[in-house]
Amino acid sequence: MSQAQNKYIPIYAVVFSVIVKCLFFLTHHIQEDAFITWRVAQNLMDYGVIGFNGDTKISASTTHLYVFVSYIFNLIFGKANFIIPILTFNTILFSVGSLLLSHLLFQNNWHKALFIILFGILPPAIKISILGMEYGILFFLEMALLYYGFKKQQKWAFILFPILILFTRVDTVIFLGIVFLVDLFWNRKLRWEYILGGILGVAVCVSFNWFYFGEWVNNTIVAKKLAYDNAFTLQQNIEYFILNYGNFWGMLKVPSDFNPITILIIIFELVCFIYLVKQKEKRNYFLWIIFLFGWVKQIVFLSQKSLFDWYYWVPQILLFVPVIVFVITQKTRRNFWLASLVIFYIVPMLAFQTVHSIATGNGEWNYRRSIGLFLNQYEKDKNQWILLEPAGYVPYFSGLKTIDEVGLVDKKIQEEIKKDKSSIWINTIEKRHPKYLLANKDLFEGKNGEFYRSKYTLLKEFRIKDHLKSENPLLEKIYRLKPSGTDYNLYVRIN
């Protein structure tokens, strides 16, 4: 079959990849922070303000573009029905992005199709697609920039995509910077259109923050830096790296300091990359871009103690691209390499992600969402406040105004963090008197127990063990194999 005859094969692979990942919707595995973005979008609907609590402006979401996309989906489908449509949208965008990436790496359409399928069912690809975060949009925009800008040489792409990319996440300056440097060293010339696009992207993002929120960078960045700031010694930094590197360079989290699987994967990725770039192929230009970006992004974020695993999804999967390309392009023993990759890595990783999504979906959708639903029914006055951490499922499904201890959705608590990080709960309660407290410990025990007992009473206990049951015996085994969730106590203020 000629290339012209099988030109639709990659499209069929995209459709297949989307269908496979849509099956994961059944697990209800949705990231906590997605509900922050969606509540900001709904706050814009209800109050005409980008915020979290009524008419108070705050950049509570890490992404501006995705807030507006979520706003549109809420308008079209309604608050009760938009989640599956927007998850499908994210999944389609990621899969189209993988199609564009395949065009950068392969000439043969069968190779493209195989790449799209293998690439699309790896754990980071599944999480990017289905967890409700902005990375499906971001991956599509980044691959569209490489394809339409640097492959097709479309000048409009150099202007448009950097603006959209930076308006999605400001930390994408790392990606745009790596692309600029590789292109400069590769082609020995400046692309003024691309430079203009980058300048406009920064200007649009910073100007929007300043003129709308009165701040230069998103509140989320300020809040996390303030709440998680740690001054480490050199020895502590080394210990920290050893403890965490395996969780971010690899594709699965292993509860141990030493992760030999990750070391093997890193070595194999490097070997495959070196093997490929030694060949005189046009794809080397793009391999250098995605591989250098993957390493730089990982190192920068790990050095800043960024423990949230979604920061690493895109780098994780891009670093694995040379492995897939190496296997697919083998002229001898390709079937052996392909079978080995699928049997010993792809299938186990897919199985791991399936178990992880089922267990995590239970712990978050079935369990943590139930706390929000209980509060929604119990408290009819949605102007009442709750102090808790984190600010995802419970605020979204309860509808209550929220103070989170990090300060992502409420700036006032940041002042308490600056004054005395160890006493932010007590100081916030003294000043603001929230009606509800949701804590992952017994507040009546310990040195401040008398303070809490004098102002609050225990309303309800929520225990993860009560949600490790299912009529399906296989699901129950998975729930108990990998219990996901935290025990909580819900307190109400004494009138």
Side-chain angles (χ1 to χ4, degrees):
M1 187 182 292
S2 67
Q3 283 289 91
Q5 290 174 309
N6 62 35
K7 64 180 180 179
Y8 294 112
I9 295 297
I11 304 297
Y12 299 149
V14 168
V15 174
F16 174 80
S17 179
V18 170
I19 292 172
V20 169
K21 281 184 281 193
C22 283
L23 293 174
F24 278 82
F25 293 167
L26 299 173
T27 67
H28 297 294
H29 183 192
I30 302 175
Q31 179 61 42
E32 181 97 30
D33 284 49
F35 287 98
I36 297 179
T37 299
W38 294 341
R39 169 143 165 178
V40 171
Q42 293 175 0
N43 197 85
L44 179 59
M45 290 176 62
D46 296 337
Y47 298 94
V49 169
I50 299 175
F52 198 88
N53 295 311
D55 59 2
T56 302
K57 295 179 180 179
I58 185 172
S59 51
S61 173
T62 56
T63 169
H64 295 321
L65 181 64
Y66 192 41
V67 165
F68 290 114
V69 171
S70 301
Y71 171 81
I72 293 171
F73 270 80
N74 271 273
L75 283 179
I76 295 173
F77 297 98
K79 293 181 182 179
N81 302 306
F82 83 98
I83 292 181
I84 293 299
I86 201 169
L87 294 181
T88 304
F89 176 73
N90 290 341
T91 303
I92 291 171
L93 279 187
F94 175 83
S95 299
V96 173
S98 68
L99 172 65
L100 297 177
L101 179 57
S102 74
H103 291 328
L104 303 177
L105 302 173
F106 302 98
Q107 297 295 322
N108 185 289
N109 284 327
W110 284 102
H111 289 175
K112 293 178 183 179
L114 188 56
F115 172 82
I116 291 166
I117 293 172
L118 296 179
F119 185 78
I121 60 176
L122 288 169
I126 293 170
K127 288 183 282 192
I128 290 170
S129 299
I130 71 160
L131 264 67
M133 300 285 278
E134 65 270 20
Y135 290 97
I137 292 176
L138 184 60
F139 183 79
F140 166 77
L141 293 173
E142 290 175 340
M143 296 305 106
L145 170 64
L146 295 181
Y147 179 74
Y148 290 107
F150 292 91
K151 182 176 176 65
K152 293 297 185 180
Q153 301 293 309
Q154 299 293 316
K155 292 184 179 180
W156 61 266
F158 293 127
I159 304 295
L160 176 63
F161 288 120
I163 296 173
L164 295 176
I165 288 169
L166 282 165
F167 204 60
T168 305
R169 290 191 64 93
V170 294
D171 56 46
T172 52
V173 293
I174 298 174
F175 174 79
L176 296 174
I178 293 296
V179 172
F180 172 78
L181 292 174
V182 172
D183 182 66
L184 179 62
F185 281 101
W186 194 275
N187 295 304
R188 306 294 179 181
K189 67 176 183 179
L190 291 171
R191 295 186 190 269
W192 294 106
E193 297 88 356
Y194 183 56
I195 294 174
L196 177 61
I199 293 173
L200 289 175
V202 172
V204 168
C205 187
V206 172
S207 297
F208 181 79
N209 279 337
W210 178 253
F211 288 109
Y212 192 85
F213 298 109
E215 57 195 19
W216 292 111
V217 297
N218 296 38
N219 174 70
T220 52
I221 297 174
V222 176
K224 289 177 182 177
K225 184 65 177 175
L226 183 64
Y228 303 128
D229 185 33
N230 288 307
F232 281 16
T233 65
L234 176 61
Q235 180 63 32
Q236 287 174 319
N237 274 309
I238 294 173
E239 292 174 355
Y240 176 91
F241 177 80
I242 293 174
L243 180 65
N244 289 288
Y245 84 95
N247 288 336
F248 301 126
W249 261 278
M251 292 191 189
L252 74 164
K253 290 188 174 183
V254 178
S256 63
D257 292 1
F258 180 71
N259 187 343
I261 297 176
T262 297
I263 293 177
L264 292 175
I265 296 302
I266 291 175
I267 292 173
F268 198 49
E269 288 171 349
L270 284 168
V271 170
C272 291
F273 174 74
I274 293 170
Y275 173 85
L276 291 172
V277 295
K278 282 187 175 182
Q279 301 172 1
K280 303 298 181 182
E281 298 282 352
K282 292 182 179 179
R283 66 168 169 250
N284 290 354
Y285 171 66
F286 297 106
L287 283 175
W288 274 107
I289 288 174
I290 63 177
F291 204 70
L292 284 177
F293 163 67
W295 273 90
V296 172
K297 176 71 181 287
Q298 299 267 46
I299 291 171
V300 168
F301 272 68
L302 195 57
S303 70
Q304 297 302 306
K305 316 296 187 299
S306 300
L307 291 176
F308 304 107
D309 64 337
W310 50 88
Y311 293 149
Y312 302 86
W313 292 342
V314 174
Q316 280 174 351
I317 198 165
L318 289 180
L319 286 174
F320 199 73
V321 164
V323 176
I324 302 177
V325 175
F326 168 80
V327 170
I328 291 176
T329 57
Q330 288 301 298
K331 293 181 172 60
T332 60
R333 306 189 70 189
R334 180 168 59 194
N335 291 339
F336 166 78
W337 281 106
L338 184 59
S340 298
L341 177 66
V342 171
I343 294 172
F344 295 108
Y345 196 77
I346 300 290
V347 170
M349 287 293 99
L350 181 60
F352 166 81
Q353 185 59 47
T354 301
V355 171
H356 175 71
S357 288
I358 291 172
T360 307
N362 176 66
E364 294 181 348
W365 183 265
N366 295 340
Y367 169 58
R368 198 173 301 177
R369 183 178 65 110
S370 70
I371 303 175
L373 293 175
F374 169 81
L375 276 166
N376 184 273
Q377 292 295 317
Y378 184 84
E379 179 56 72
K380 302 303 181 183
D381 181 5
K382 302 310 176 187
N383 287 314
Q384 295 296 337
W385 290 81
I386 182 171
L387 172 59
L388 51 63
E389 178 62 26
Y393 277 86
V394 175
Y396 182 88
F397 287 102
S398 70
L400 298 178
K401 290 188 175 181
T402 303
I403 307 168
D404 68 305
E405 69 177 37
V406 175
L408 296 181
V409 304
D410 183 274
K411 279 189 175 183
K412 292 180 181 179
I413 201 170
Q414 293 177 22
E415 297 304 316
E416 303 304 329
I417 295 174
K418 293 176 185 177
K419 293 176 185 176
D420 184 0
K421 189 180 292 188
S422 64
S423 302
I424 54 175
W425 274 59
I426 292 177
N427 292 338
T428 300
I429 291 168
E430 286 276 294
K431 291 181 179 180
R432 302 180 63 183
H433 313 292
K435 184 172 182 179
Y436 297 97
L437 307 177
L438 184 67
N440 58 6
K441 61 182 179 180
D442 186 350
L443 295 179
F444 293 164
E445 298 293 329
K447 65 177 183 178
N448 297 313
E450 184 59 36
F451 169 84
Y452 289 110
R453 284 193 295 270
S454 67
K455 297 180 180 296
Y456 290 86
T457 184
L458 180 65
L459 177 60
K460 187 174 175 62
E461 294 180 341
F462 296 91
R463 298 292 180 260
I464 184 60
K465 64 181 178 62
D466 297 330
H467 288 261
L468 301 181
K469 301 173 184 177
S470 173
E471 294 180 359
N472 186 312
L474 179 59
L475 290 180
E476 183 164 329
K477 287 181 179 179
I478 292 174
Y479 295 161
R480 295 184 179 279
L481 174 68
K482 191 180 182 299
S484 177
T486 305
D487 291 339
Y488 286 103
N489 291 338
L490 178 63
Y491 302 87
V492 62
R493 189 180 64 231
I494 300 172
N495 292 324

